[in-house]
Amino acid sequence: MARRFQLWQKKRGHRRTGSRIAGSVGEGLLFASMLLGGSFALIALTTSRLVNIPGVSSLNTGSGLWLSVIVLTSFVLIGAGGLLWNLLTAGTSAERRKALASKAAELELLRPQFPDAKDFPTIPLNENLFNSPGVHLTYRLPCSTTPTWNLLALAVLCLMLNGLLAAVAMVVIKSFIAGSPKWILGVLMMSMFWAAVKLTWYFLAKLNETIRIGPTAIEVSDLPLFPGRRYDICITQTGRMSLRSMKVSLACDESATYREGTDVRNEVRRVSLQKVLHCDPNDVVPGTPFVHQGELVLSPEIMHSFQSSSNAIQWKLVVEGRTVRGRSFERVFPVVVFPPISPAE
Amino acid sequence: MEPLLSIQLFDHLPAYHPGDMLKCDYQIDAVDRGEIQAIEASVMWYTEGKGDEDMGVHYFERRLAAADEPDLRELRRFQVELPQSPLTYHGGIIKVLWCVRLRAFLPKGKETTLDHPFRLGSMTLTDSPAKSKS
């Protein structure tokens, strides 16, 4: 018991005693409070300066208005950045991070094996596709559909609406106390309150869903992909949920951009979708990610990736999962397929 | 009367492979010698389909009537090594096509062109299934 509620903790270099989870939670709360406090204060300061609200005097910051804005903005940025970093690194040990960094350095030696981009000018060669080492296999593919940015945008919207609501509520309450109630503003405040509750509830539900359905990772034994070759692939799913099914497919999309009058339109058509893996996983519990390995054999007849000004052929691995509760999620991992290397080369 | 442009490719059927040597003869007939101001020959790919057309030129030569080459109508041969990509492709809304294009410039700003298509690579459609097993 005494160890569980240890008040003082030791720190030796990067090592420390105490619970890592409690540390992460504490760190997350610190950054969240910085983000919340900074946002509220910044919104209140700018609102009181920019909008002349009757009955409310603007916040007096003396000659240090811009200093206050800079300090509060830095609170918001540090809070948001720290919270994001905390969410991303939660559950990742220092050893694992170090091992990943070492593997990334080793990958530099593999780079000369890649085809020269000058010989393939119409094949998109994104650096991010090749610079992430995997844990089980050589490369980890980047995910193009992470919920983090959507969640962050939703959080910012939520904060802005709540900040505005706080400012309006202050005016309404003051008017009621002064004995000259502002009924129209009160009705507006009630509708804003209803919207803020709805939005906050939606944000919390999304946050809960994102935390429960953890990140998905796909690793492959080699990159880039060539038609007619065989690759090992590995899918890893973390989180805290009961999965009903997971499947991985190899998809090919054609994307065409064209002008219609003054409008620029884009059409995407999926021309190929092939099943690669299908598994019925058990419960995914924290600390023990669900891992499934399989094999991907590309047909020798498939078209390579292609990118020009208005047209593109994009290959991607699509992961589709479904939880026992009926929620489904999809993650997309772009890959690059090169043409077969000719004997002449 | 329009000049008669002709292009002949060697060993292009059923398809060239990446890295193959493309050998091409071209010639212009049914026109007076002095009427051809310039000739351009290109080996190029272009896209067709729903999107705006993109193109890339792999080989290009332009010949002007000059003292050392007064008659541009004569048979001309060139050869060029074909690239690794893009390969010929017939998809749902995108096609990638290769051709040798000959363009003759005539007096008063007139032009006439001739395309000779060829295939690069042996793939057909992207619909070929990717074999997989878990």
Side-chain angles (χ1 to χ4, degrees):
Chain A
M1 266 325 220
R3 290 182 63 184
R4 185 166 292 181
F5 297 108
Q6 204 172 15
L7 191 60
W8 308 109
Q9 295 177 16
K10 293 176 189 171
K11 182 175 182 296
R12 289 176 186 148
H14 291 293
R15 293 173 298 156
R16 63 182 70 202
T17 59
S19 163
R20 287 191 68 245
I21 296 169
S24 292
V25 169
E27 211 173 43
L29 284 174
L30 174 71
F31 286 124
S33 59
M34 281 179 78
L35 177 62
L36 273 168
S39 304
F40 275 114
L42 191 63
I43 289 167
L45 179 66
T46 48
T47 309
S48 70
R49 285 292 177 132
L50 295 176
V51 183
N52 186 21
I53 304 170
V56 178
S57 60
S58 62
L59 292 175
N60 186 15
T61 53
S63 58
L65 172 67
W66 288 110
L67 184 65
S68 306
V69 169
I70 289 168
V71 168
L72 292 174
T73 308
S74 71
F75 266 58
V76 173
L77 292 177
I78 291 169
L83 193 61
L84 198 65
W85 177 252
N86 199 36
L87 284 173
L88 290 174
T89 56
T92 311
S93 70
E95 295 83 2
R96 188 177 166 205
R97 272 178 257 162
K98 196 81 176 170
L100 292 178
S102 312
K103 258 194 163 180
E106 287 170 18
L107 271 183
E108 293 298 319
L109 301 172
L110 299 174
R111 299 190 68 76
Q113 294 178 4
F114 290 166
D116 195 340
K118 291 198 296 285
D119 296 335
F120 301 93
T122 56
I123 295 180
L125 205 58
N126 188 342
E127 278 285 310
N128 291 332
L129 290 176
F130 307 103
N131 60 9
S132 292
V135 175
H136 304 278
L137 299 171
T138 313
Y139 296 100
R140 190 183 63 183
L141 298 174
C143 184
S144 67
T145 52
T146 54
T148 312
W149 292 111
N150 290 340
L151 207 61
L152 202 63
L154 201 59
V156 169
L157 189 67
C158 205
L159 279 171
M160 284 174 68
L161 186 60
N162 281 298
L164 201 61
L165 176 65
V168 173
M170 202 163 64
V171 176
V172 172
I173 291 166
K174 276 210 165 201
S175 72
F176 270 86
I177 291 169
S180 57
K182 297 181 185 301
W183 292 107
I184 296 175
L185 208 58
V187 172
L188 181 71
M189 188 197 75
M190 290 309 291
S191 56
M192 279 178 71
F193 178 75
W194 179 81
V197 167
K198 281 275 183 189
L199 189 65
T200 308
W201 183 258
Y202 181 69
F203 166 70
L204 290 174
K206 279 281 172 195
L207 183 68
N208 181 40
E209 189 180 310
T210 306
I211 290 169
R212 289 183 79 86
I213 303 173
T216 312
I218 286 196
E219 297 175 8
V220 290
S221 56
D222 201 7
L223 285 176
L225 304 179
F226 288 95
R229 292 197 188 171
R230 188 199 71 82
Y231 301 89
D232 293 327
I233 70 166
C234 174
I235 179 167
T236 310
Q237 177 67 50
T238 55
R240 189 181 187 141
M241 67 202 144
S242 297
L243 277 171
R244 181 180 289 167
S245 65
M246 279 195 88
K247 65 176 180 179
V248 183
S249 310
L250 179 68
C252 178
D253 288 349
E254 291 179 1
S255 169
T257 307
Y258 56 98
R259 266 169 289 206
E260 258 185 7
T262 54
D263 295 338
V264 177
R265 297 183 189 278
N266 180 256
E267 183 174 329
V268 178
R269 183 178 293 182
R270 181 149 293 174
V271 291
S272 170
L273 184 69
Q274 306 300 326
K275 195 178 98 177
V276 176
L277 288 177
H278 189 277
C279 43
D280 301 312
N282 299 317
D283 289 358
V284 181
V285 291
T288 52
F290 166 75
V291 180
H292 188 79
Q293 289 209 21
E295 192 177 59
L296 165 68
V297 182
L298 298 184
S299 163
E301 298 289 306
I302 61 170
M303 177 60 174
H304 57 79
S305 302
F306 173 77
Q307 176 80 57
S308 62
S309 304
S310 306
N311 300 276
I313 298 165
Q314 298 154 340
W315 286 95
K316 52 192 74 169
L317 286 165
V318 181
V319 178
E320 289 168 286
R322 182 171 281 275
T323 65
V324 170
R325 289 184 175 186
R327 284 181 182 152
S328 58
F329 60 95
E330 185 181 285
R331 308 270 194 264
V332 176
F333 299 83
V335 290
V336 174
V337 177
F338 270 70
I341 298 293
S342 69
E345 192 168 297
Chain B
M1 186 178 172
E2 287 285 310
L4 188 65
L5 280 61
S6 58
I7 299 170
Q8 185 178 11
L9 298 181
F10 299 92
D11 308 322
H12 71 290
L13 291 175
Y16 286 117
H17 294 289
D20 279 358
M21 195 62 75
L22 178 144
K23 292 175 186 164
C24 174
D25 284 355
Y26 65 86
Q27 193 172 15
I28 299 173
D29 285 316
V31 65
D32 291 336
R33 190 176 79 171
E35 283 195 36
I36 303 174
Q37 298 179 337
I39 297 282
E40 287 178 358
S42 320
V43 178
M44 55 177 281
W45 62 264
Y46 60 97
T47 61
E48 263 186 11
K50 191 94 178 180
D52 291 344
E53 185 183 298
D54 296 321
M55 62 177 281
V57 176
H58 176 63
Y59 171 82
F60 178 79
E61 69 171 27
R62 179 182 169 88
R63 296 161 56 213
L64 292 166
D68 57 336
E69 195 178 19
D71 192 356
L72 294 174
R73 298 173 305 173
E74 288 178 358
L75 182 77
R76 165 84 175 179
R77 171 171 290 183
F78 71 85
Q79 59 180 33
V80 60
E81 188 182 327
L82 290 168
Q84 297 294 319
S85 71
L87 304 183
T88 303
Y89 172 72
H90 295 263
I93 54 173
I94 296 173
K95 287 180 184 175
V96 181
L97 305 167
W98 278 89
C99 73
V100 174
R101 179 170 291 172
L102 191 59
R103 188 183 296 271
F105 293 86
L106 305 170
K108 297 180 184 175
K110 287 183 182 172
E111 292 176 16
T112 181
T113 62
L114 175 70
D115 287 358
H116 191 308
F118 65 88
R119 291 181 65 87
L120 179 63
S122 56
M123 88 259 315
T124 49
L125 286 169
T126 188
D127 292 331
S128 318
K131 296 171 202 163
S132 61
K133 60 181 179 181
S134 57

